[in-house]
Amino acid sequence: MTQNPPNLRPDLAPKPVFDTPARPGQPKIGMVSLGCPKALVDSERILTRLRAEGYAISPDYAGADAVIVNTCGFLDSAKAESLEAIGEALSENGRVIVTGCLGAEPDYITGAHPSVLAVTGPQQYEQVLNAVHKAVPPAPDPFVDLLPATGVKLTPRHYSYLKISEGCNHHCRFCIIPDMRGRLVSRPAHAVVREAERLVAAGVKELLVISQDTSAYGVDLKHASDRGHRAHIADLARDLGSLGAWVRLHYVYPYPHVRDLVPLMAGGLVLPYLDIPFQHAHPDTLKRMARPAAAARTLDEIAAWRRDCPGITLRSTFIVGFPGETEEEFRTLLDWLDEAQLDRVGCFKYENVKGARSNDLPGHVAEEVKDERWHRFMEKARAISEAKLAAKVGRRIEVIVDAVDAEGATCRTGADAPEIDGNLFIDEGFETLSPGDIVTVEVDEAGEYDLWGHIA
């Protein structure tokens, strides 16, 4: 068992495990998936298409005939990590195809690694497949290359990311996602529900709904109804909640209609968990970010959500050191956090990103000041988290089991998303548990981010 470190990065995808052996002579492709869960879904789609064409999936470099690296290009640090991953794949395998967000800058990639076989951009599934076909011709056997209804998944069998849209209509000055992935394009609601039904039928116990802006789902479709399902986040949440799995909503902007989701959470239809990217609290900072500058009203909304659903968990991310951020603005953020008492909090130090409008803003903050503010922010966030978790000691909570080893079981409560939030550990009486089990535990002990308990 491993505990989540305080600085756990949410942009590192879990390592996939493939347990289907390749048949003799079957071409094999490896995959390195970097970036956010939305990129992970793209990787799953690519691998699903390749499996349908007769390719096997290799879990290591040595066994692969070629390797696809799905990159992240959101921050300069992520770009550097992507270049490092490409370099490692070239060193270990030699035949590398690059795709993903950083693929929108092919010259940047080939300038560092001229020997890559091909570079494609985000969501360019056909171009990726064409590059794979050229590098490693397919050799399908329709009698043995069977693909499960769920496709290829890079997450454990008991949970799955469910991407409901691509792109974003916001124009935040620090973000280049709309430039890389375009404006909002929502999937039809009936297609999302059909995919969710297949996943649940295959044993998935938790659906993690993701997009760049989940609250805006269906805006581009004018919230049209098709085949009995309406393209609106409240309707979609209700439809998904009827399937019997945990439903967790990520990247929910605090639009007024978010209030319609809270009764669904209070009623147990979806998990009482909202992942909302507030980013900051000072109105001047938010204005420079080109974000909605209504921090005071946001506190009112938070109070209303908690009134209507007392057990709701609120998660958010923030940026410190944004150009022009003064000490007074930063202290306002700390004071706001004190009042908001968010349950789960992540924080990033501002970085310039090529193509972002924030690069040209005046008043860039010195790195040492960013670092100092980040530590102050995280100190306060840790204290809030520790106090909130301590209040759970003695309570009975439903958890989902993620992993079991010789030391114990690693689980999550409904307040914890995989890879980014905390865990609950069971270190006795766990022998009969398996990943995907949902059990009730009594909490015995709490730390800064994690809980310990026993089966009730």
Side-chain angles (χ1 to χ4, degrees):
M1 295 188 298
T2 58
Q3 298 181 33
N4 281 344
N7 62 346
L8 183 69
R9 291 184 55 184
D11 62 333
L12 297 181
K15 293 182 179 179
V17 177
F18 304 108
D19 53 11
T20 303
R23 55 177 168 76
Q26 187 175 17
K28 291 176 286 187
I29 301 296
M31 170 68 82
V32 178
S33 188
L34 304 174
C36 62
K38 293 179 287 295
L40 191 69
V41 173
D42 291 341
S43 296
E44 291 176 339
R45 289 179 178 174
I46 292 168
L47 292 180
T48 296
R49 292 283 299 274
L50 290 173
R51 282 288 290 112
E53 293 184 354
Y55 291 91
I57 311 303
S58 173
D60 52 48
Y61 290 120
D65 297 305
V67 175
I68 301 170
V69 180
N70 191 1
T71 58
C72 179
F74 183 55
L75 298 173
D76 286 350
S77 56
K79 291 182 178 181
E81 183 182 9
S82 293
L83 288 183
E84 182 180 353
I86 295 167
E88 178 180 307
L90 285 168
S91 174
E92 297 292 332
N93 182 276
R95 297 166 61 78
V96 176
I97 296 163
V98 180
T99 189
C101 288
L102 191 56
E105 302 180 49
D107 293 342
Y108 181 82
I109 294 170
T110 55
H113 298 296
S115 61
V116 296
L117 300 178
V119 178
T120 70
Q123 306 167 58
Q124 294 182 347
Y125 307 123
E126 296 301 329
Q127 290 90 326
V128 176
L129 295 174
N130 289 340
V132 172
H133 296 161
K134 184 176 180 180
V136 185
D141 185 333
F143 296 102
V144 296
D145 293 337
L146 302 177
L147 189 66
T150 55
V152 175
K153 292 176 72 272
L154 300 181
T155 52
R157 297 178 188 274
H158 61 280
Y159 69 81
S160 182
Y161 291 104
L162 186 65
K163 185 156 63 169
I164 62 174
S165 66
E166 294 282 3
C168 181
N169 290 344
H170 291 285
H171 298 284
C172 305
R173 286 195 173 97
F174 55 82
C175 183
I176 58 172
I177 293 295
D179 296 325
M180 291 190 296
R181 290 183 171 263
R183 290 179 60 80
L184 176 73
V185 179
S186 301
R187 296 177 62 195
H190 67 85
V192 176
V193 174
R194 186 168 64 247
E195 180 183 352
E197 289 172 341
R198 289 199 302 267
L199 291 168
V200 172
V204 168
K205 302 291 184 65
E206 180 180 7
L207 298 168
L208 298 110
V209 178
I210 57 168
S211 67
Q212 199 62 41
D213 180 1
T214 297
S215 302
Y217 171 71
V219 168
D220 56 312
L221 302 176
K222 296 182 169 48
H223 301 307
S225 294
D226 186 7
R227 303 179 210 184
H229 299 283
R230 180 172 175 249
H232 188 285
I233 186 56
D235 296 76
L236 181 63
R238 190 178 294 107
D239 290 341
L240 296 176
S242 69
L243 300 180
W246 282 13
V247 177
R248 189 182 303 276
L249 303 178
H250 284 286
Y251 315 125
V252 180
Y253 280 73
Y255 301 145
H257 66 259
V258 170
R259 301 168 193 160
D260 299 334
L261 295 170
V262 177
L264 304 181
M265 297 176 178
L269 204 60
V270 299
L271 288 175
Y273 179 101
L274 276 178
D275 179 1
I276 297 180
F278 290 121
Q279 306 297 10
H280 211 278
H282 195 283
D284 292 343
T285 313
L286 290 167
K287 185 176 180 180
R288 289 195 303 276
M289 289 179 169
R291 304 273 300 176
R297 290 201 297 276
T298 299
L299 288 172
D300 293 338
E301 285 295 310
I302 289 173
W305 299 336
R306 285 176 169 152
R307 180 198 65 221
D308 296 338
C309 183
I312 196 169
T313 295
L314 301 179
R315 155 167 254 289
S316 190
T317 53
F318 296 85
I319 298 173
V320 296
F322 190 80
E325 183 190 58
T326 65
E327 176 63 22
E328 178 188 356
E329 291 174 357
F330 176 69
R331 285 200 302 268
T332 297
L333 173 58
L334 294 183
D335 292 342
W336 186 92
L337 191 62
D338 257 336
E339 190 166 355
Q341 290 287 299
L342 302 181
D343 303 87
R344 303 284 185 265
V345 173
C347 184
F348 296 90
K349 289 174 275 190
Y350 171 80
E351 293 181 27
N352 276 342
V353 178
K354 183 180 178 181
R357 294 179 296 151
S358 56
N359 300 353
D360 299 325
L361 290 173
H364 279 250
V365 179
E367 290 301 320
E368 58 270 22
V369 175
K370 293 180 194 175
D371 193 61
E372 186 264 346
R373 288 177 182 171
W374 183 87
H375 280 94
R376 286 163 62 192
F377 182 96
M378 290 308 300
E379 182 180 3
K380 183 173 290 291
R382 275 194 297 271
I384 293 172
S385 174
E386 187 172 22
K388 282 181 167 285
L389 292 182
K392 296 184 178 183
V393 173
R395 290 176 50 190
R396 292 191 171 195
I397 300 175
E398 198 172 57
V399 303
I400 189 167
V401 179
D402 277 342
V404 181
D405 58 25
E407 298 178 31
T410 301
C411 315
R412 287 180 294 109
T413 74
D416 300 296
E419 302 296 314
I420 57 175
D421 294 329
N423 291 314
L424 183 144
F425 300 105
I426 302 173
D427 54 17
E428 60 179 35
F430 60 85
E431 292 79 8
T432 61
L433 296 178
S434 299
D437 287 348
I438 296 178
V439 297
T440 300
V441 303
E442 184 171 327
V443 180
D444 300 320
E445 184 182 346
E448 292 179 338
Y449 297 99
D450 299 304
L451 298 169
W452 286 259
H454 65 273
I455 298 176

